[in-house]
Amino acid sequence: MISIVGQAIGPLMNTLVSEIHMEVPITSSYSIPLNPYNSVGLLVAFNEVLLWVIIALFLQDPPPKKEKSLSSATGEDEPATEAGMYDILNAMTHFDIFFPLIQRFVTCMNFVLYGVVVSPVAANMLNWSPVEISKLSAVTSVFAFVGMGTTLVLSIIKTSDFVMILVGNGIFALAGISTYLDWRADTVTAITFSIPLILVTLVYPFTSPANQSSFNKAVFSRPEIAGSI
């Protein structure tokens, strides 16, 4: 939920600096120009410096965990065995471990594809500036929040990981079809341009947590590799 809130606030901050046109004097002969294009960078730098200060003042490493040896049937302590490369490679041949990795790969690839094309397509078809794209990002973040709430309810009623992943992939497929049908230069509008991106935003709450849960269950069901992957 926190990540979704951050994704919603980020574009709004970009909107706030969209009207900045000023110069900050440093010396009598040098000043730093601030405009809608570079002020975002200064805002990011300020946020990171503030985060560094908070980390330096308050963050502490947790105490090291004491390792416990395994007890055998005779009551004697035996060292825990670690999985070798053969055990890990052999585990990768099992569908319940291999599939979540493929799912993660395809999802990330599709997200990056949309992230790369949004700006040039919006500029070419709708003559949008970064400000309009930021506003759209804020809107999609609202839908992401709704998606997170929906998946939370589904998790409470014990919806399986399989159903979650299946629904998420179905939404992604609909986003692809909508992109093909709606992103046409002669008919595109702000609404039709936004529909595929809203659908893509809804994918993450369904696929990512469920996929990670499925992977963890598969790994921990095999004691010989648990803790090595």
Side-chain angles (χ1 to χ4, degrees):
M1 289 290 187
I2 294 298
S3 62
I4 299 300
V5 174
Q7 293 174 27
I9 293 178
L12 294 178
M13 296 301 295
N14 194 27
T15 303
L16 292 177
V17 301
S18 63
E19 301 299 327
I20 293 180
H21 295 279
M22 59 181 295
E23 292 188 357
V24 178
I26 303 299
T27 65
S28 58
S29 59
Y30 179 76
S31 61
I32 299 177
L34 293 179
N35 55 56
Y37 302 105
N38 64 10
S39 56
V40 175
L42 292 179
L43 180 62
V44 170
F46 173 78
N47 290 338
E48 292 301 323
V49 170
L50 179 61
L51 189 59
W52 288 344
V53 172
I54 295 174
I55 290 173
L57 292 177
F58 302 107
L59 183 63
Q60 296 181 357
D61 290 332
K65 182 179 180 181
K66 296 181 180 180
E67 296 184 0
K68 297 181 179 180
S69 59
L70 298 179
S71 298
S72 64
T74 60
E76 298 178 354
D77 290 342
E78 294 180 353
T81 59
E82 295 184 356
M85 183 58 65
Y86 173 79
D87 296 316
I88 296 175
L89 294 178
N90 181 59
M92 295 288 289
T93 63
H94 295 271
F95 180 80
D96 57 348
I97 289 182
F98 185 68
F99 173 77
L101 300 179
I102 295 299
Q103 170 70 34
R104 180 71 173 172
F105 168 78
V106 173
T107 301
C108 290
M109 181 183 67
N110 289 342
F111 274 127
V112 171
L113 284 174
Y114 274 97
V116 168
V117 303
V118 166
S119 294
V121 172
N124 181 267
M125 290 187 175
L126 298 170
N127 294 319
W128 277 10
S129 70
V131 175
E132 284 77 23
I133 296 176
S134 294
K135 292 178 180 178
L136 175 60
S137 298
V139 172
T140 57
S141 296
V142 173
F143 282 92
F145 189 82
V146 172
M148 291 290 287
T150 302
T151 55
L152 179 61
V153 173
L154 293 175
S155 299
I156 292 175
I157 63 175
K158 306 299 182 182
T159 303
S160 67
D161 295 334
F162 170 79
V163 172
M164 292 283 207
I165 296 172
L166 190 66
V167 171
N169 286 336
I171 295 174
F172 231 145
L174 290 177
I177 295 172
S178 178
T179 303
Y180 174 77
L181 295 176
D182 296 332
W183 285 15
R184 297 177 179 270
D186 54 339
T187 60
V188 69
T189 64
I191 294 178
T192 57
F193 178 78
S194 303
I195 290 175
L197 302 177
I198 291 173
L199 291 173
V200 168
T201 302
L202 291 173
V203 170
Y204 175 84
F206 282 91
T207 60
S208 184
N211 191 58
Q212 186 64 51
S213 172
S214 177
F215 180 75
N216 291 343
K217 291 175 183 176
V219 169
F220 287 108
S221 67
R222 294 174 170 79
E224 70 274 13
I225 62 171
S228 298
I229 295 183

